[in-house]
Amino acid sequence: RGHSDACMAVIYGPEGRLLYSGSEDATIRRWEAKTGKLRGVLRGHKRSVVTLAITRDGRRLASASLDHSVRLWDPRRMQPVRTVQTGRTGVVGLDFSPDGRRLATGDDSGVVRLWRMDKPGVSAEQQRVKSPDVSYDLAFRRDGKQLALANHNHAIYLVDVRTGERVRVLEGHTALVRGVAFGRDGRRMATVSWDGSLRLWSARTGELERVLS
């Protein structure tokens, strides 16, 4: 315990020893996963923190808030690094590319943006990908070449990161898709939906392998 309002997002650090939570109290808290002890608080957002992402090396943490900003943090030193203003739209999905050089954001207007993160002080928008609907979550494939978008219209879209073109559409859920993630070995992708099911897909072919409900 520690947040003074509802917890909206939770993510493990890459080694599984630390846990980060974002809340409607506008803070991000770092916890020791084994003991549950609080190990630090990040403050700076003015409204609810709705989603989090962390690089594979654990050196950068990103948070999106209803204050229309995405903030980057150094989670080891528990210090802010920079802020990206997203305009009037609210970001609902975040993920870092596998090399940590780009950050993908999906907002409530249905636009997916790719931001440069590879140079100090630079947060230039590189590219936009128009999604057919709001993407509630997104995830880079393990090779960084494709981005999976979990959509309000019940589908998952695989998009070519270089061109922004749609590669494949995965259908089967009967309600909005709320989460998407690739397995550590990159062979499978998992999606969860408000239809109460978790589905496992082949990351290579897009074929449905299993349904858990």
Side-chain angles (χ1 to χ4, degrees):
R1 296 184 180 181
H3 286 296
S4 61
D5 212 328
C7 185
M8 303 296 290
V10 177
I11 190 170
Y12 276 100
E15 296 179 355
R17 295 185 298 104
L18 296 172
L19 186 72
Y20 300 88
S21 58
S23 168
E24 287 189 344
D25 66 12
T27 69
I28 301 148
R29 294 174 185 258
R30 183 179 66 180
W31 311 83
E32 195 174 275
K34 186 176 182 179
T35 65
K37 291 182 179 179
L38 180 64
R39 293 301 185 188
V41 182
L42 293 170
R43 293 182 172 87
H45 283 298
K46 298 177 181 179
R47 296 184 63 190
S48 300
V49 177
V50 296
T51 187
L52 300 168
I54 195 166
T55 56
R56 291 189 178 183
D57 60 10
R59 294 185 177 182
R60 288 291 179 268
L61 177 73
S63 58
S65 168
L66 295 182
D67 63 12
H68 298 166
S69 75
V70 172
R71 290 178 179 258
L72 267 69
W73 314 85
D74 181 335
R76 297 179 178 180
R77 298 180 179 180
M78 295 298 284
Q79 294 179 350
V81 176
R82 72 188 73 155
T83 301
V84 178
Q85 298 296 336
T86 61
R88 296 182 179 180
T89 58
V91 171
V92 292
L94 284 175
D95 196 29
F96 282 102
S97 61
D99 60 10
R101 295 181 177 180
R102 288 170 293 182
L103 178 68
T105 62
D107 65 37
D108 54 15
S109 69
V111 177
V112 174
R113 294 175 170 87
L114 296 176
W115 306 84
R116 286 184 60 180
M117 295 289 139
D118 56 341
K119 295 182 180 180
V122 175
S123 299
E125 182 182 335
Q126 281 189 311
Q127 184 181 346
R128 292 191 183 193
V129 176
K130 182 63 179 179
S131 175
D133 210 323
V134 177
S135 296
Y136 283 100
D137 196 16
L138 42 81
F140 277 96
R141 199 171 70 180
R142 291 307 179 181
D143 60 7
K145 295 181 179 180
Q146 290 185 11
L147 194 64
L149 311 178
N151 269 42
H152 183 275
N153 66 359
H154 311 174
I156 303 98
Y157 294 86
L158 297 179
V159 177
D160 186 292
V161 171
R162 183 178 61 84
T163 65
E165 296 297 321
R166 191 185 309 169
V167 176
R168 185 177 288 118
V169 182
L170 307 182
E171 297 178 313
H173 283 297
T174 58
L176 71 86
V177 185
R178 191 62 185 86
V180 59
F182 286 93
R184 288 190 175 184
D185 60 7
R187 296 173 57 188
R188 290 180 177 84
M189 180 178 68
T191 58
V192 292
S193 166
W194 281 10
D195 64 13
S197 73
L198 182 152
R199 292 173 182 252
L200 298 177
W201 314 79
S202 167
R204 183 177 63 85
T205 65
E207 293 182 1
L208 179 64
E209 295 186 351
R210 192 174 181 185
V211 180
L212 302 173
S213 58

